[in-house]
Amino acid sequence: MAGHIWYIQSVSDPDYTRGYVPRPDPALTSRENRKPRLKVHHRARIGEPVAPEDLPETYVLKPSHPAHRLDVPLWFNSFIHVRDDMVKVLRRFDLGATVLRPIRVELGDGRGVDTRYSTLLTSNVRPTIDPDASEWVGYGAVERSALRSEGGVHPGVRAFPSVREGPAIWSDPEVAKTVFVNDDLAQALLSEPFANQLHLVQGLFSKD
């Protein structure tokens, strides 16, 4: 496998948040509505497989949030959501314990329903950042901004060579709000018209 690791920076870019949230149960408080989603996130974070039916199916506009257009290949609110053309690319690769569940987004104000998106959640979890080889250590439990430094990859951060093996997409339990992809998947995404909107960033491995 090629010698590069990548992550999708738009996953944590505030410009890619959208005001659509899972349809709440009106009989529950906002905290009670969030609790099942937090449990699902926790299960995925520890590598426990998640079934499609565990994820919300319908999203609605949060009244207090502006109605940003869904004109991006990826957006997030509660979970990561990817557009159909990105889903087609992802499905060409070994996704391991990754769920892609189609969702309905009710746009509100009589604007109809958008069905182009699927929720993406991966339970592929493996340690990725090599603390011994990395010069910069502000990536863990204390300071979880991980690989970023002034909008890019900090030059001192290195990944374990072992993550070359396994599914094409994964997360690191010590690195929040970051989805990693291998070089093959990254190159496929970079060949797509929407590539520049993903802000794919290349990282480096520590020595084998």
Side-chain angles (χ1 to χ4, degrees):
M1 185 177 292
H4 293 106
I5 185 174
W6 300 76
Y7 70 93
I8 302 173
Q9 187 164 283
S10 59
V11 165
S12 58
D13 186 335
D15 289 342
Y16 287 79
T17 59
R18 293 295 184 268
Y20 299 95
V21 296
R23 179 191 291 282
D25 183 338
L28 302 177
T29 65
S30 58
R31 177 174 292 185
E32 289 169 335
N33 272 298
R34 285 198 307 271
K35 191 172 182 179
R37 302 198 295 272
L38 293 174
K39 286 183 176 180
V40 168
H41 277 295
H42 175 71
R43 288 169 54 196
R45 191 167 184 80
I46 64 174
E48 181 180 323
V50 173
E53 55 268 25
D54 294 330
L55 297 172
E57 183 178 20
T58 302
Y59 280 68
V60 296
L61 181 64
K62 189 176 181 179
S64 61
H65 200 289
H68 292 300
R69 291 178 56 196
L70 298 183
D71 55 357
V72 289
L74 177 152
W75 58 277
F76 60 90
N77 200 335
S78 296
F79 296 94
I80 299 168
H81 311 288
V82 291
R83 200 170 56 200
D84 286 347
D85 48 354
M86 185 171 170
V87 170
K88 289 179 182 178
V89 177
L90 292 169
R91 290 197 184 280
R92 288 160 35 196
F93 294 84
D94 173 13
L95 301 181
T98 299
V99 175
L100 286 165
R101 183 181 194 183
I103 60 172
R104 290 168 40 88
V105 184
E106 296 180 2
L107 302 175
D109 298 326
R111 292 179 296 131
V113 176
D114 193 323
T115 59
R116 296 175 297 164
Y117 290 89
S118 294
T119 298
L120 184 155
L121 184 69
T122 184
S123 294
N124 301 324
V125 178
R126 51 191 192 263
T128 300
I129 303 303
D130 183 346
D132 294 330
S134 297
E135 299 170 16
W136 185 51
V137 294
Y139 66 86
V142 176
E143 195 174 320
R144 305 186 77 94
S145 55
L147 305 178
R148 298 164 190 78
S149 175
E150 297 180 356
V153 177
H154 191 284
V157 174
R158 298 290 184 270
F160 290 115
S162 58
V163 298
R164 291 190 179 102
E165 305 300 325
I169 186 168
W170 72 95
S171 65
D172 180 335
E174 292 298 322
V175 182
K177 297 181 180 179
T178 302
V179 173
F180 296 95
V181 297
N182 68 16
D183 198 63
D184 293 337
L185 175 51
Q187 295 302 328
L189 292 169
L190 286 168
S191 70
E192 295 293 322
F194 55 77
N196 64 336
Q197 294 179 284
L198 296 180
H199 305 304
L200 276 158
V201 182
Q202 185 185 98
L204 299 175
F205 288 107
S206 56
K207 293 182 179 179
D208 293 280

